[in-house]
Amino acid sequence: MSLIAGSYERFIWGFKLKPSEPQTLSLTPLFSYPSHLSSIRTLAAAGPVAASGGADDTIHLYDLSSASSLGSLHDHSASLTALSFYTPPNLSFPRNLVSAAADGSVCIYDADPFVHLKTVLPHRKAINDLSIHPSGKLALTVGHDECLAMINLVRGKRSFYCRLGKEASLVNFDVGGDKFFMVMEEKVSVHEAEDARLLCEFENKKRVLCATPCENGILLTGGEDRCVTAWDVKSGKVAYSIEEAHAARVKGIVVLTKNSSGAFSDDDPHIVASASSDGVIRVWDVRMAIKDKPNPLAEANTKSRLTCLAGSALKSLRRPQLGKNIEEGQCEPKATDNNESAE
């Protein structure tokens, strides 16, 4: 399992999560260097590939298996705000990369090799976040224009657009794709994916800065309260919480499944990593939070102002490639200059 973190200081940090002793883990540094010209805003990882987006309008690509750079993508003309890979269930290597930027644009890429397929303009203002449905056929975006948009990734067009009345900072599908979540300041709303019907709402103590779904109907949130909180999305109540998980704001949460770290038994998918703005990354066994405040299984201090966190299991031995011929994938559009504008 690999963890990567981005910072305001332009640095990207890579760590390998390894078992050190029975029921313990260690974070071993893989790399750290200033990959961008300005702060790193967003990260994504899948299989052996990772991507970072910065305020320098650039996406940088990394091969985690060899801890090396793969180059960069320059199809945006504004700061990157969100990145997401799509990996088909039967593959260990991502098929597509989707990116969003502060000018309201979304770029769709083939990820094997990395080739720009199409640019869509679903929002009038900056996009805050995006999430790809587990089917890989559509994505949701939210932005500064206080709107929710749906993008048809097969056709490369915006298919839905509605006003929310308030700006949402985060959007995310659940693991199965039947529901999606939106975050507005300290409030989190759960919606039916089919018709966007509101199922429930819950309110955190302070502003939520990151949210990650996991199995069994649980949503993990972190933010200005410095806690990692697990919410039961059916009841809208707190299932458990790691109080004072960090000494500063929690900026990223990654769920590490039993197939990711390889350190625990098959019945133990409860490992979570969190990162805070003071540069600390911690790995937790969240089952311990049900009984008492747990101690972190592993910890690393980057001594930088972290902005985001991502993780990936190195399941594929294939080396990622940049720009050869476009292979047939989930996203079909081949044009690189056609745009779909927000109405």
Side-chain angles (χ1 to χ4, degrees), residues 102-157:
D103 60 356
S105 66
V106 169
C107 286
I108 305 170
Y109 295 91
D110 193 319
D112 186 21
F114 281 96
V115 176
H116 178 224
L117 299 178
K118 194 167 186 180
T119 297
V120 187
L121 289 172
H123 292 267
R124 296 190 185 96
K125 297 182 180 180
I127 296 174
N128 292 328
D129 197 19
L130 73 85
S131 180
I132 300 177
H133 189 269
S135 68
K137 295 181 180 180
L138 60 90
L140 293 177
T141 57
V142 291
H144 283 333
D145 55 4
E146 299 183 355
C147 292
L148 168 71
M150 179 186 294
I151 301 171
N152 185 324
L153 296 178
V154 177
R155 297 184 177 182
K157 295 183 178 181

Side-chain angles (χ1 to χ4, degrees), residues 23 113 118 189 231 303 309 321:
Q23 298 299 309
K118 194 167 186 180
S189 57
W231 298 88
K303 298 182 180 179
L309 182 71
Q321 299 180 18

